[in-house]
Amino acid sequence: MRTPQPFVTLVGAGPGDPELLTLKAVKALQQASVVLVDDLVHPDVLAHVSPHARIVHVGKRGGCQSTPQAFIEKLMVQEALAGENVVRLKGGDPLIFGRGGEERAHLLAQGIEVRMVNGITAGVAAVQDLGAALTHRAHAHGVVMVTGHATDKGLLPPVDWAGLAHAAHASHLTLVIYMGVQNVATIQQGLLMGLPPHTPVALVENASHAQSRQAHGTLHQLQNLLTQSQISSPAIIIVGDVLRAMAAVQTAPETKQA
Ligand code: SAH
């Protein structure tokens, strides 16, 4: 009998709210025999995993490399070759700042089939929490998702925040900044070189979670906003005029969900 082709499924768990899982994600979790879980995954998502499956937590919270990437990749390969149905469960979407691309390349190089399941990325959930629209046509032509964290190992030069601000201003782009909390001073300073100080900004911590928190202000206030609100990781920073269109929601709190 032919040995079945080993495979791993990279699954996006969404931003937090377990009801934002896709049907494909639920199916993959039900069928998995080994689940490798990142730490931004909401614990309730694991309710879909079979009681017979093995769950391994492999998070790297706050830049502390508790489980090095190389070890995670090795473990996925090992389990898949042993005939396990391996699910690699990641917060948000596996391919948005989730190293899904690197993991897919590694698995394919080892002859392992890779199946992908998209998830709702945190930036999109954050804007929904704010009652805004990422591409409200009166305010934006598009969106830039950008990391606020310097790239590891010098793979790329750092983000040119001033250049990005000029582009965002000229072309009416909303900025959705991931992993920006620790680097907020540099981000603010760079963005102020190309965007007006009164540009609206918002911070959203734990988007889509019941305990989600937000802070609103202007680009000029960004760093103070973070200090005063004590918002911390995981958080998204949104910058752009689309935030002007949330006024209607703010003045009508009864329309907000509890
Ligand atoms: N693949 C993930 C992103 C991983 S990078 C996705 O698609 O959402 C980790 C960063 O994502 C965090 O530093 C934070 O900026 C953001 N993030 C993840 N979950 C979040 C949440 N629920 N609320 C706010 N930001 C979140």
Side-chain angles (χ1 to χ4, degrees):
M1 214 176 79
R2 249 183 82 221
T3 329
Q5 157 85 18
F7 72 95
V8 170
T9 313
L10 299 188
V11 177
D17 182 345
E19 294 196 20
L20 289 176
L21 276 177
T22 62
L23 291 175
K24 264 197 171 183
V26 170
K27 208 163 144 188
L29 289 172
Q30 286 169 340
Q31 292 171 353
S33 58
V34 175
V35 184
L36 308 185
V37 189
D38 267 0
D39 47 18
L40 282 178
V41 172
H42 194 287
D44 290 358
V45 167
L46 301 177
H48 300 285
V49 177
S50 151
H52 308 293
R54 221 170 349 123
I55 296 177
V56 187
H57 290 273
V58 291
K60 291 179 291 220
R61 195 66 202 269
C64 151
Q65 300 281 326
S66 57
T67 314
Q69 187 66 19
F71 174 80
I72 299 172
E73 290 175 0
K74 206 171 138 194
L75 189 61
M76 282 195 288
V77 170
Q78 200 177 303
E79 298 290 355
L81 291 177
E84 300 291 351
N85 180 329
V86 183
V87 161
R88 172 80 171 105
L89 189 61
K90 290 170 164 285
D93 185 279
L95 297 172
I96 307 267
F97 304 121
R99 293 205 173 192
E102 286 168 51
E103 292 183 5
R104 175 163 62 186
H106 181 81
L107 292 163
L108 290 175
Q110 304 290 319
I112 292 167
E113 185 193 334
V114 182
R115 303 175 185 175
M116 298 290 310
V117 179
N118 285 128
I120 294 178
T121 188
V124 169
V127 175
Q128 138 65 24
D129 279 5
L130 290 165
L134 264 183
T135 59
H136 192 301
R137 65 186 184 135
H139 300 287
H141 286 310
V143 178
V144 178
M145 287 180 177
V146 58
T147 175
H149 181 73
T151 317
D152 297 330
K153 299 182 211 145
L155 288 173
L156 284 175
V159 173
D160 171 5
W161 293 105
L164 184 59
H166 282 293
H169 192 46
S171 295
H172 302 278
L173 304 173
T174 310
L175 303 181
V176 180
I177 305 169
Y178 289 68
M179 296 172 275
V181 166
Q182 278 174 351
N183 206 14
V184 75
T186 309
I187 294 171
Q188 180 184 25
Q189 199 184 17
L191 290 182
L192 279 169
M193 292 170 85
L195 279 165
H198 58 262
T199 305
V201 300
L203 300 158
V204 184
E205 176 190 279
N206 281 319
S208 88
H209 288 243
Q211 71 278 25
S212 174
R213 295 199 302 141
Q214 332 178 337
H216 314 255
T218 63
L219 183 54
H220 173 67
Q221 300 165 327
L222 180 58
Q223 202 179 350
N224 284 343
L225 216 54
L226 187 70
T227 316
Q228 280 161 17
S229 63
Q230 298 189 341
I231 279 180
S232 63
S233 184
I236 293 279
I237 304 169
I238 312 281
V239 181
D241 285 336
V242 291
L243 296 174
R244 297 187 193 287
M246 25 180 281
V249 174
Q250 281 177 310
T251 52
E254 67 279 5
T255 63
K256 275 190 174 176
Q257 287 184 354

